Amino acid sequence: MAILDPAVADPARAEAHDAADPLRAFRDRFAVRDSDLVYLDGNSLGRLPKATAERLRTVVEDEWGGELIRAWDHWLDLPVRVGDRLATAVLGARAGEVVVSDSTTVNFYKLALAALDARPGRRAIVTDRANFPTDRYVLEGLARARGLEIRWIDPDPVDGPEPRDVETVLDDDVALVTLSLVNYRSAAIADLPAISSLARAAGALTLWDLSHAAGAVEVNLDAGGADLAVGCTYKYLNAGPGSPAFLYVRSALQGELRNPIQGWFGQNDQFAMGPAYEPVPGIAAWLTGTPTVPALAAVEEGVRVVEEAGIGAIRAKAAALTAYAVELHDAWLEPLGFGLGSPRDPVRRGAHVAIRRVDARHLSAALLEQRVITDFREPDSIRLGLSPLTTSYREVRTGMSRLRDLAAR
Amino acid sequence: MAILDPAVADPARAEAHDAADPLRAFRDRFAVRDSDLVYLDGNSLGRLPKATAERLRTVVEDEWGGELIRAWDHWLDLPVRVGDRLATAVLGARAGEVVVSDSTTVNFYKLALAALDARPGRRAIVTDRANFPTDRYVLEGLARARGLEIRWIDPDPVDGPEPRDVETVLDDDVALVTLSLVNYRSAAIADLPAISSLARAAGALTLWDLSHAAGAVEVNLDAGGADLAVGCTYKYLNAGPGSPAFLYVRSALQGELRNPIQGWFGQNDQFAMGPAYEPVPGIAAWLTGTPTVPALAAVEEGVRVVEEAGIGAIRAKAAALTAYAVELHDAWLEPLGFGLGSPRDPVRRGAHVAIRRVDARHLSAALLEQRVITDFREPDSIRLGLSPLTTSYREVRTGMSRLRDLAAR
């Protein structure tokens, strides 16, 4: 147990943190209908920005309803335009390296398959047994279809993968190394630069899942040496349920890799509808079918708020909010038999905190009845998603005090 | 040239048709902001149903904004629930055979690849050189990846594929026959039952693209013997720009075919997040990633309007509207050097009419300036999309009279 400052649990401490929070004004940019609800699940579904509600009315009622097909003149570039903004404001990439399209699953499939196609002699994929399910399932399907081996690494369940975990299974038979930057359960951050560098030295490509990272921590795709990445926009980017995902292809690889799903939105001179597929130059080659326009507009609004707050300030608040949650865990919950399921080092931790006890499923359900929304992850974790733009310290304290009271019964 | 009734061009004829139209009240169910605009492009983007604008406000502001993550309790079954409604009201299929998911392109890829996997010894795909581009491009990618041959048929460009066009290239090396039910350019309807039967007799699977058919003509997937189908919802189903697509897998094939994109939304007991992929029983196995919830709700509203009008009445009006457009073409345009690019037989024609002249691109642009929206398709076609729920006979007459005046200059 950490050494505790006796003032940790003092409600004045939460108030003081909130008063000093440089991002506190951003909460008002979101529709918060019910100020008594404690929402600690922004890592599953981020809140609705007020500007998004307005934008969606415009897109649906004025653009679709009024401009009709003519609106495609300004809708067509949305996937690339929103991708450019996301690249530069959130992902540490350049314009022309990111596009918004499809779901994370479909993007992961496209990039993983393209990577395997680009390393045809190699017969192994490296990933983490604790990786997000959809990534594991897609890989399992690709490995079966192509007769490949998956080399599973089993990193520490709390602190996540270390470069050495990858290094020990890397050799010149590995085509692809794919990991989540922030683990969906523990929030452990993987060392993207070190692992990307090891993979590159072995001749393998890297594919990073940024779903729990984008909009929560700084992601330096270009500087870190990542090859490929995907991620969702409905968590810390606040773009709404099932909003389209993004994908990143390092510019140096764009001439080498090819989208395996050859759709008309990736076609050069699309409306010529020519006889043979010829990919459009640049990142738009990774589009497939017709993008969902209102949902893309919602991504643009979500990214705009993150851009305005600044990813540096967001990351700093994520570290501070999660540190506060860890302190409260240590003060209130550890004595009741809980254990921390997230790294203690804030540098290694994303914007959520997992706390573990054997009855986590029951406790998460009981919290919901007390108007505290968290989520449960098998087998024994309650995840507290602390969304830097919308979660207050007071909310964290209230939620955790209700959990303490429930757990103490 | 057909023999003309001299009254064809009389404006009173359009008024009389509109007065007698059993679907005329449905136009008021849609947001028509600008009653002077002649919109003949509902086959590219259908109009906004008023109920959809309302539903989207509810989904975004009350459900996402207010219920937050708790709304997934009722969102989760949307893809299957909307699919069931679409199956029974529009597609001549049964509940459990259709799901709404991804784009048409991605669904086409999933089903085409699954069909090829199910016929592993066969090395050929049959399709139409005039098929919609995204279908051709996806097939080209799959054929290259697997070393397969595409056997292109070249049917009559106006009347579309005949069963004998397919029959001549069918043999026991064909894995997949894939066609559009209604051609995107000519509106020619293919003989789904006859072609499906020929393919089945040869041991091949059929995959039908219903994008220009669903909500415009009767589609009898089950009775017609189709194996697989996909289609979009933003044309005659009026679900909005880039709304999610549907796919159909005949129930008898559901145990045999396997989704090649193994995502978490196709996983049995999804939130157990177990170690290995095990497809959920039934049509939901064809889901991939997180579906776009507001867009799915818009599909539900769009299908509801079609269901209420009845696909039989819609199909009858499509035949009558297109027949009227053909009459006006013959009376006004053929003498000016136009030719009909759609079948003369209404039984063989979907809900749009292509009219051809060498300067079609210029004429379509000039019509837009006169507030008549059509679209141009390479090399020489103006498509008049006549959406039975929203297009009036008067609108058809006004649009075509402006075209006549422009073309006569």
Side-chain angles (χ1 to χ4, degrees):
Chain A
M1 194 190 297
I3 295 164
L4 290 178
D5 171 355
V8 155
D10 187 337
R13 179 117 163 196
E15 305 298 333
H17 278 315
D18 281 324
D21 174 9
L23 296 179
R24 67 185 179 284
F26 277 88
R27 187 173 163 100
D28 289 337
R29 306 283 284 277
F30 292 80
V32 179
R33 287 203 173 188
D34 178 352
S35 57
D36 289 337
L37 183 76
V38 175
Y39 191 56
L40 303 178
D41 206 7
N43 59 328
S44 285
L45 178 64
R47 284 185 181 275
L48 168 65
K50 290 174 183 169
T52 300
E54 186 59 40
R55 174 80 181 272
L56 287 173
R57 282 194 294 267
T58 300
V59 170
V60 171
E61 297 173 32
D62 300 339
E63 298 178 13
W64 172 17
E67 297 176 42
L68 293 159
I69 193 71
R70 295 167 292 184
W72 270 109
D73 287 348
H74 55 93
W75 290 339
L76 259 183
D77 76 342
L78 269 173
V80 171
R81 188 174 89 209
V82 181
D84 285 349
R85 187 181 282 262
L86 188 55
T88 53
V90 180
L91 301 179
R94 280 172 294 165
E97 293 189 312
V98 172
V99 74
V100 181
S101 164
D102 298 313
S103 64
T104 308
T105 299
V106 169
N107 287 337
F108 186 86
Y109 176 91
K110 290 187 286 191
L111 292 184
L113 180 47
L116 297 175
D117 283 341
R119 294 291 180 273
R122 294 173 173 238
R123 314 211 48 82
I125 299 167
V126 171
T127 195
D128 178 349
R129 208 181 294 279
N131 204 350
F132 190 75
T134 213
D135 301 22
R136 293 188 276 107
Y137 301 155
V138 166
L139 294 173
E140 190 189 318
L142 290 172
R144 191 184 56 245
R146 297 170 76 103
L148 305 180
E149 168 201 4
I150 298 180
R151 296 186 186 166
W152 299 100
I153 63 170
D154 287 291
D156 183 274
V158 173
D159 287 324
E162 297 288 345
R164 67 175 174 275
D165 295 322
V166 173
E167 194 168 18
T168 55
V169 296
L170 263 182
D171 60 29
D172 62 8
D173 208 25
V174 174
L176 175 66
V177 174
T178 179
L179 298 170
S180 291
L181 180 58
V182 173
N183 183 273
Y184 77 102
R185 195 177 339 217
S186 67
I189 299 179
D191 187 340
L192 182 148
I195 293 170
S196 296
S197 171
L198 285 168
R200 178 161 303 172
L205 292 164
T206 50
L207 168 52
W208 292 92
D209 187 333
L210 308 177
S211 294
H212 280 271
V217 302
E218 280 158 321
V219 180
N220 294 306
L221 289 173
D222 283 352
D227 292 319
L228 307 166
V230 298
C232 87
T233 64
Y234 50 77
K235 300 180 184 296
Y236 299 103
L237 298 171
N238 305 300
S243 52
F246 61 85
L247 65 81
Y248 160 89
V249 180
R250 169 176 290 277
S251 57
L253 288 170
Q254 289 182 14
E256 183 184 348
L257 268 64
R258 192 175 168 111
N259 185 351
I261 304 181
Q262 298 187 166
W264 70 317
F265 269 73
Q267 165 76 350
N268 203 20
D269 198 3
Q270 175 184 2
F271 290 98
M273 300 188 166
Y277 182 73
E278 181 198 342
V280 65
I283 195 69
W286 296 88
L287 296 175
T288 55
T290 311
T292 307
V293 169
L296 269 169
V299 178
E300 188 164 51
E301 295 305 322
V303 172
R304 206 192 298 276
V305 182
V306 168
E307 183 176 33
E308 198 181 323
I311 193 69
I314 288 172
R315 200 296 177 252
K317 184 170 172 192
L321 272 173
T322 54
Y324 183 57
V326 170
E327 288 175 340
L328 291 174
H329 163 270
D330 292 347
W332 288 344
L333 301 179
E334 198 169 63
L336 298 173
F338 284 86
L340 189 64
S342 295
R344 286 204 167 266
D345 178 356
V347 172
R348 294 291 303 274
R349 195 172 60 219
H352 67 271
V353 172
I355 51 178
R356 303 170 68 180
R357 203 170 85 164
V358 68
D359 56 350
R361 182 196 294 271
H362 163 76
L363 289 169
S364 180
L367 274 171
L368 184 60
E369 287 178 19
Q370 300 207 8
R371 306 184 49 67
V372 177
I373 302 183
T374 62
D375 73 24
F376 165 71
R377 281 293 172 262
E378 294 278 1
D380 61 359
S381 289
I382 298 173
R383 285 195 317 188
L384 309 175
L386 310 179
S387 196
L389 294 178
T390 58
T391 306
S392 65
Y393 292 85
R394 182 180 171 193
E395 225 176 348
V396 175
R397 187 185 186 282
T398 305
M400 291 185 75
S401 74
R402 288 186 197 156
L403 175 57
R404 175 202 59 198
D405 294 347
L406 279 169
R409 278 181 198 163
Chain B
M1 195 189 299
I3 295 165
L4 289 179
D5 172 353
V8 154
D10 187 338
R13 181 118 161 193
E15 306 298 333
H17 278 315
D18 280 323
D21 174 9
L23 296 180
R24 68 186 177 283
F26 277 87
R27 187 172 162 101
D28 289 338
R29 306 284 284 277
F30 291 80
V32 179
R33 286 203 174 189
D34 178 352
S35 58
D36 289 337
L37 183 77
V38 175
Y39 191 56
L40 303 179
D41 206 7
N43 58 330
S44 285
L45 178 64
R47 284 186 181 274
L48 168 65
K50 291 175 182 168
T52 300
E54 186 59 41
R55 174 79 182 273
L56 287 173
R57 283 195 293 269
T58 301
V59 170
V60 171
E61 297 173 31
D62 300 340
E63 297 178 13
W64 172 17
E67 296 177 42
L68 293 159
I69 193 71
R70 294 168 292 185
W72 271 110
D73 288 348
H74 54 93
W75 290 338
L76 260 183
D77 76 342
L78 269 173
V80 170
R81 188 174 88 209
V82 181
D84 284 350
R85 187 182 281 262
L86 188 55
T88 53
V90 179
L91 301 179
R94 281 172 292 166
E97 292 188 313
V98 173
V99 74
V100 180
S101 164
D102 297 313
S103 64
T104 308
T105 299
V106 169
N107 286 337
F108 186 85
Y109 175 91
K110 289 186 288 191
L111 292 185
L113 181 47
L116 297 176
D117 283 340
R119 295 290 182 272
R122 294 172 174 238
R123 315 211 46 81
I125 298 168
V126 171
T127 195
D128 179 350
R129 209 181 293 278
N131 203 350
F132 190 75
T134 213
D135 301 24
R136 292 188 277 107
Y137 301 155
V138 166
L139 294 174
E140 190 190 318
L142 289 173
R144 192 186 53 247
R146 298 170 75 105
L148 305 180
E149 168 201 3
I150 299 180
R151 296 186 186 165
W152 298 101
I153 63 170
D154 287 291
D156 183 273
V158 172
D159 286 326
E162 297 288 344
R164 65 174 175 276
D165 295 322
V166 174
E167 195 169 18
T168 55
V169 295
L170 263 182
D171 61 29
D172 63 8
D173 208 25
V174 175
L176 176 66
V177 174
T178 178
L179 298 169
S180 290
L181 180 57
V182 173
N183 183 274
Y184 77 101
R185 196 178 338 218
S186 68
I189 300 179
D191 187 340
L192 182 149
I195 293 171
S196 296
S197 171
L198 286 168
R200 179 161 304 170
L205 292 164
T206 50
L207 167 53
W208 292 91
D209 188 332
L210 308 177
S211 294
H212 280 271
V217 301
E218 281 159 321
V219 180
N220 295 305
L221 289 172
D222 282 353
D227 292 319
L228 308 167
V230 299
C232 88
T233 63
Y234 50 77
K235 301 179 186 296
Y236 300 102
L237 297 171
N238 305 301
S243 53
F246 61 85
L247 64 81
Y248 160 90
V249 179
R250 169 177 289 278
S251 57
L253 287 170
Q254 289 183 13
E256 183 184 349
L257 268 64
R258 191 175 169 111
N259 185 351
I261 304 181
Q262 299 187 168
W264 70 316
F265 269 73
Q267 166 75 351
N268 203 21
D269 198 2
Q270 175 183 3
F271 290 98
M273 300 190 166
Y277 183 73
E278 182 198 342
V280 65
I283 195 69
W286 296 89
L287 295 174
T288 56
T290 310
T292 306
V293 168
L296 269 170
V299 178
E300 188 164 52
E301 295 306 321
V303 172
R304 207 192 298 274
V305 182
V306 169
E307 183 176 34
E308 200 181 322
I311 193 68
I314 288 172
R315 200 293 176 253
K317 184 170 172 192
L321 272 172
T322 56
Y324 182 56
V326 170
E327 288 174 341
L328 291 175
H329 164 269
D330 292 346
W332 287 344
L333 301 178
E334 199 169 60
L336 297 173
F338 284 84
L340 190 65
S342 294
R344 286 204 167 266
D345 178 356
V347 172
R348 293 291 304 274
R349 195 171 61 219
H352 67 271
V353 172
I355 52 178
R356 303 170 67 181
R357 203 170 85 164
V358 68
D359 57 349
R361 182 196 294 272
H362 162 76
L363 289 170
S364 180
L367 273 171
L368 184 59
E369 287 178 21
Q370 300 207 8
R371 308 183 49 67
V372 177
I373 301 182
T374 62
D375 72 24
F376 165 71
R377 280 293 172 262
E378 295 278 2
D380 61 0
S381 289
I382 297 173
R383 287 194 315 187
L384 310 175
L386 309 179
S387 196
L389 294 178
T390 59
T391 306
S392 66
Y393 292 85
R394 182 180 172 192
E395 224 175 350
V396 175
R397 188 184 185 284
T398 304
M400 291 185 76
S401 73
R402 288 187 197 157
L403 174 57
R404 175 201 59 198
D405 294 346
L406 278 170
R409 277 182 200 164

